Amino acid sequence: MAQPLWKKTYDAVEQQVAPPLQKAMGNPGVIDAISLGRAVQRRAMDDAATLIKRGLHAMNLPSGTDVRDVSNQIAGLERQLRLLNKRLDEFEAKLAALDDGGDGR
Amino acid sequence: MSDGQKDPITRLVDRTVTTVKRTARGVHNGLLHYARMDRPPLASTPRDTVWQRDKVELWRYRSDARRGGPPLILVHSLVNRSYIFDLVPGNSVVEVLLARGVDVYLVEWGIPDAADAENGLETYSDYYLPEIVRVATELSGAESANVLGYCFGGVLALLYAAAHPDAPINTLIALATPVDSTKLPTQLRAGGGAFDPELVIDESGNVPGNVIGNAIRSLTPVAELSANVNLLANLWNDEYVAAHNAITMWGNDQIPFAGRAFRQTVRMMGQDNGFMTGRLELGGRSISLDDIRVPFLNVFGSKDHIVPADATRPLSGLLGSPDVTDLELNAGHVGLFIGRTAHRHGVPAMVDWIDQHS
């Protein structure tokens, strides 16, 4: 079945528009602009979060940053637990090697 | 009676009936799509979790047709979901491999959160992968395994193989694995020059999935719109809609990249172009691709716009292995192993190569 006219029109426009747009997006200038935009956005969000945090703390309420700090602390604990597990595995492996090499003596 | 032999009125009636049927099917599929009731059954091939550590799991796919010999371990990238290997029934590379009698394992890295922010490349290539290969070979009763890495999974597999020359690897297969970062699109160069990785690392210590997704989408800015326009034109076609949904879901399903591993990648690939210059290190020690001596297959797509062939082709010349094969397929990044053409030609060619070396 033949393609509808609207689809043919879209394809024709896309063929003209896509390549230059693709080239423009790969331009280092565009990448720099996006990076700068991201840095500005991050700074603005940090400033807003500080203001909100002050307001919430004045009312003795926890802020989003407090929740994030707690979750990062939990993540830190999980990492320590993983490290302990890893050490335990290594220790058990060494013990097993000693048992094998010791001929039961 | 062929269409040409029918009289004009019958032809007109036939065409009208077809149009009405397609329109009705299109409206039905369109409503299902709008209501998000057409989600495909992803990753549905039966499997068992045979090993787990932290968030990492090793899955073994069930099969009654395993031929024995070295199993195949699929190592996925860190930035998107592993179900691309087992997309939907009828469009799954795992299905194709099982049908060929391959004993298939898949490494599921899990979705990183703050607890994984300190995972470095050595966590994956020096800690998890050696254990995974040991477990898979043991469970399969084999002496060694075939290791296949896809995209960044290939980078992890290469680092593992280079750092462990005595590892029980039978063959190593790299699919769309970038090694020359100067040939990658600007958006994915992992910071050639003065890029500061801290700009994209969030409060959890990781790079959010949407940052990676946006970088990939920016390579083809109108692709998403075109995909939706094509969907609209093919809404009547159930098979097309199912394939579109599965691929689109996966394409938009990026996961966070562990922060420490990201910083290391920016330095190793973006700034040092380490694979090409030989400046590679893992866990604080220098490693060399020259130490990879096992048979090696380098698979890349001539239409890959994410990891162009030029970024992956040099790999074959960097290894110490005397048995190196290049397989260039007329496919894109995902089309290397997804879709009818891949299942009829590309994937069987890879399995044939593995068979010749097993």
Side-chain angles (χ1 to χ4, degrees):
Chain A
M1 205 172 184
Q3 284 194 337
L5 185 64
W6 65 266
K7 177 70 171 61
K8 282 181 189 163
T9 312
Y10 175 83
D11 288 345
V13 173
E14 193 230 12
Q15 273 172 21
Q16 296 300 315
V17 172
L21 208 55
Q22 213 163 305
K23 203 174 165 191
M25 289 303 287
N27 188 308
V30 176
I31 310 280
D32 287 346
I34 292 170
S35 298
L36 178 64
R38 198 163 166 84
V40 171
Q41 182 196 18
R42 174 173 278 197
R43 181 66 202 266
M45 284 175 78
D46 284 350
D47 288 348
T50 307
L51 276 176
I52 293 167
K53 186 179 172 180
R54 275 185 200 154
L56 287 167
H57 284 183
M59 291 183 284
N60 214 17
L61 291 169
S63 66
T65 359
D66 296 327
V67 176
R68 198 180 63 213
D69 290 347
V70 171
S71 82
N72 280 345
Q73 281 176 22
I74 295 170
L77 284 173
E78 196 179 324
R79 280 198 290 271
Q80 285 183 23
L81 201 63
R82 284 181 188 179
L83 199 63
L84 279 174
N85 269 329
K86 194 179 167 187
R87 294 269 155 81
L88 197 64
D89 284 347
E90 286 166 0
F91 184 65
E92 280 176 350
K94 275 182 189 162
L95 268 184
L98 276 177
D99 279 353
D100 288 347
D103 296 331
R105 276 175 287 175
Chain B
M1 194 162 56
S2 74
D3 212 40
Q5 292 168 312
K6 289 179 182 172
D7 65 82
I9 293 176
T10 314
R11 279 211 303 267
L12 182 67
V13 170
D14 284 354
R15 211 178 301 158
T16 310
V17 168
T18 308
T19 306
V20 169
K21 274 184 184 170
R22 283 186 174 190
T23 307
R25 196 73 211 156
V27 169
H28 176 255
N29 285 343
L31 290 173
L32 283 179
H33 188 74
Y34 182 71
R36 298 191 176 185
M37 286 172 68
D38 58 351
R39 303 292 94 158
L42 300 166
S44 55
T45 305
R47 61 176 190 245
D48 299 297
T49 301
V50 294
W51 177 88
Q52 183 177 17
R53 182 157 297 171
D54 310 328
K55 288 193 181 68
V56 184
E57 291 184 354
L58 179 64
W59 297 340
R60 187 185 194 187
Y61 288 90
R62 292 181 199 161
S63 170
D64 298 325
R66 287 180 197 137
R67 295 169 309 185
L72 176 64
I73 304 171
L74 305 174
V75 182
H76 190 53
S77 174
L78 292 177
V79 296
N80 38 37
R81 308 293 302 275
S82 65
Y83 61 77
I84 189 67
F85 283 114
D86 184 26
L87 200 57
V88 286
N91 193 5
S92 153
V93 70
V94 166
E95 268 181 7
V96 178
L97 293 167
L98 291 175
R100 288 283 303 258
V102 181
D103 189 1
V104 185
Y105 291 82
L106 173 64
V107 181
E108 163 60 41
W109 295 119
I111 301 176
D113 57 26
D116 305 291
E118 291 302 314
N119 284 2
L121 294 174
E122 69 279 5
T123 314
Y124 300 98
S125 295
D126 227 4
Y127 178 51
Y128 295 131
L129 276 178
E131 195 59 10
I132 283 165
V133 173
R134 186 190 66 76
V135 169
T137 47
E138 205 173 289
L139 280 171
S140 295
E143 285 180 1
S144 58
N146 300 305
V147 179
L148 183 154
Y150 172 51
C151 193
F152 199 78
V155 170
L156 298 176
L158 285 171
L159 295 176
Y160 158 64
H164 301 263
D166 299 327
I169 303 174
N170 180 56
T171 64
L172 186 62
I173 303 117
L175 244 76
T177 298
V179 286
D180 187 353
S181 56
T182 63
K183 299 291 190 300
L184 286 172
T186 321
Q187 296 95 315
L188 301 182
R189 251 173 231 166
F195 171 76
D196 177 8
E198 304 309 320
L199 266 181
V200 291
I201 292 176
D202 69 8
E203 301 82 6
S204 74
N206 299 316
V207 182
N210 70 329
V211 169
I212 294 153
N214 288 340
I216 294 172
R217 276 188 284 277
S218 73
L219 300 177
T220 47
V222 291
E224 206 169 335
L225 177 64
S226 297
N228 283 314
V229 168
N230 286 330
L231 174 70
L232 194 61
N234 289 284
L235 265 179
W236 56 272
N237 183 339
D238 293 355
E239 205 180 323
Y240 186 94
V241 175
H244 168 92
N245 285 338
I247 290 287
T248 308
M249 270 183 80
W250 182 79
N252 291 324
D253 209 358
Q254 271 82 26
I255 56 174
F257 195 147
R260 186 154 179 271
F262 181 73
R263 290 186 191 96
Q264 290 172 327
T265 305
V266 167
R267 199 183 61 237
M268 180 185 80
M269 296 188 71
Q271 290 161 1
D272 291 350
N273 200 14
F275 283 112
M276 299 300 290
T277 57
R279 288 206 294 270
L280 288 178
E281 68 170 47
L282 191 69
R285 62 192 198 280
S286 285
I287 57 169
S288 169
L289 291 184
D290 195 44
D291 289 330
I292 300 178
R293 302 293 167 102
V294 295
F296 177 75
L297 176 65
N298 190 19
V299 186
F300 46 92
S302 52
K303 289 188 200 158
D304 193 336
H305 69 287
I306 297 175
V307 181
D310 285 346
T312 187
R313 197 181 276 118
L315 179 53
S316 309
L318 301 171
L319 272 60
S321 172
D323 184 348
V324 172
T325 308
D326 280 338
L327 178 61
E328 182 165 1
L329 301 171
N330 184 26
H333 196 63
V334 178
L336 285 174
F337 58 93
I338 286 294
R340 269 191 215 130
T341 315
H343 295 171
R344 278 187 200 149
H345 306 291
V347 178
M350 293 177 219
V351 179
D352 288 344
W353 182 89
I354 294 171
D355 285 348
Q356 285 161 18
H357 293 84
S358 295

